[in-house]
Amino acid sequence: MELLAPAKVNLYLAVGPRRSDGYHDLVTVFQALELADEVSYDPDAPFSVSYEPDMGIAQGEDLVSVVSAALAERLGRQLRGAFRVRKRIPAAGGLGGGSSDAAAAMVALCALWDVPVTSAEVVEVARAVGADVAFFLVGGTALFLGRGDDFARSLPDPGLDIVVVNPGEPVPTVAAYAAFDRLLQKPVPPVEPMIAALETGERGLLGSVLFDSLTEASTGLVPSVGDALAFLRAEPGVMGAEMAGSGSTVFAICSDATVAQRIARKASDGGWWACATRTSPMGARIVS
């Protein structure tokens, strides 16, 4: 079984005050991308998970292993099969690669066990393992609430040309939220203008309403994130740019694919990881 595990960006991410359980209330618009990890699954082999290149994570502690074990326990099934993940998405960059790989594993196991991925039990496991995992079972463009794991509604696919740039320095998610908590909280724009822009599909309007509450905190921790954002915003043909999640990857909506490819080449020549891609209406899925 061959699967794709797409990357994501947050077109909108509003972070509320810290809750009593340690999490923050979020309002976010997730957007899946064509950029994706490739996941192979052999159901006839003993259970194992491998990564290319090796991620340096202890066996059994990666999200694919964790979610597979949790799903098998929740459904009362015997876990078997070998997963091989070929990484294309930068790790710890705010693009959700690990969560998407976990969702792809859930899709594979659900197909093996003939269980709908939309069933309450499956979604419950996804939400318990990681906030982003639930989104990747849905994919496309979607509004999520709660910890970012509570599906509210699907939104129109904007069909955008996107360039993503990673400056190479990770921003630990916990540190980003801690830095956010120390900052003076500012009013955030409502999500409705983003929803309206998606319904029109106008690139310039979408670019003007991109928002991420964590940008100030993350750029304070890792200044190269701010450098990458400034680079994108200065490039001709960029309709708007913002950080992905808690960083350190940043992205820009481009006027067309040629612009996205030109900017990706320029960023790569400057020593950053970069990729020209497009938005996708799909989530984690079987392709063969």
Side-chain angles (χ1 to χ4, degrees), residues 5 11 18 26 29 37 46 53 59 64-65 97 110 133 152 157 171 174 176 198 218 256 273 276 278-279 287:
L11 300 177
R18 188 171 181 175
L26 305 180
V29 175
D37 288 343
Q59 186 71 32
V64 170
S65 297
C110 284
V133 180
D157 172 34
V171 178
V174 172
L198 285 165
S218 294
D256 56 43
W273 179 92
R278 284 184 57 81
T279 57
V287 292

Side-chain angles (χ1 to χ4, degrees), residues 28-243:
T28 187
V29 175
F30 285 116
Q31 175 61 63
L33 303 178
E34 289 184 356
L35 168 66
D37 288 343
E38 300 167 356
V39 181
S40 298
Y41 177 60
D42 178 3
D44 297 322
F47 181 74
S48 66
V49 181
S50 62
Y51 290 85
E52 302 172 6
D54 181 66
M55 301 295 291
I57 304 173
Q59 186 71 32
E61 295 183 5
D62 63 287
L63 280 183
V64 170
S65 297
V66 170
V67 82
S68 297
L71 187 63
E73 181 178 3
R74 182 69 178 83
L75 298 177
R77 305 300 178 97
Q78 182 176 1
L79 183 59
R80 70 176 193 270
F83 287 100
R84 185 179 68 198
V85 182
R86 294 176 290 279
K87 295 296 293 181
R88 303 288 184 263
I89 304 168
L95 295 173
S99 294
S100 190
D101 298 338
M106 298 183 79
V107 170
L109 292 172
C110 284
L112 176 68
W113 296 330
D114 195 25
V115 175
V117 295
T118 55
S119 67
E121 297 89 345
V122 174
V123 174
E124 179 183 308
V125 170
R127 294 178 66 179
V129 170
D132 293 353
V133 180
F135 162 69
F136 287 112
L137 294 179
V138 176
T141 314
L143 174 66
F144 273 71
L145 307 174
R147 297 184 303 144
D149 61 348
D150 186 4
F151 173 71
R153 58 175 288 198
S154 291
L155 296 165
D157 172 34
L160 301 173
D161 293 292
I162 300 282
V163 61
V164 287
V165 175
N166 186 292
E169 297 179 76
V171 178
T173 301
V174 172
Y177 276 92
F180 170 82
D181 289 335
R182 293 191 295 269
L183 293 172
L184 178 65
Q185 301 306 308
K186 301 174 182 177
V188 301
V191 71
E192 285 76 15
M194 171 57 70
I195 294 173
L198 285 165
E199 289 171 347
T200 68
E202 204 279 305
R203 295 184 180 213
L205 182 57
L206 280 163
S208 71
V209 293
L210 295 174
F211 177 75
D212 189 332
S213 287
L214 297 175
T215 300
E216 182 181 358
S218 294
T219 55
L221 291 171
V222 180
S224 61
V225 175
D227 295 338
L229 264 178
F231 160 75
L232 288 179
R233 289 169 175 164
E235 285 298 307
V238 166
M239 317 302 287
E242 191 45 271
M243 189 174 71

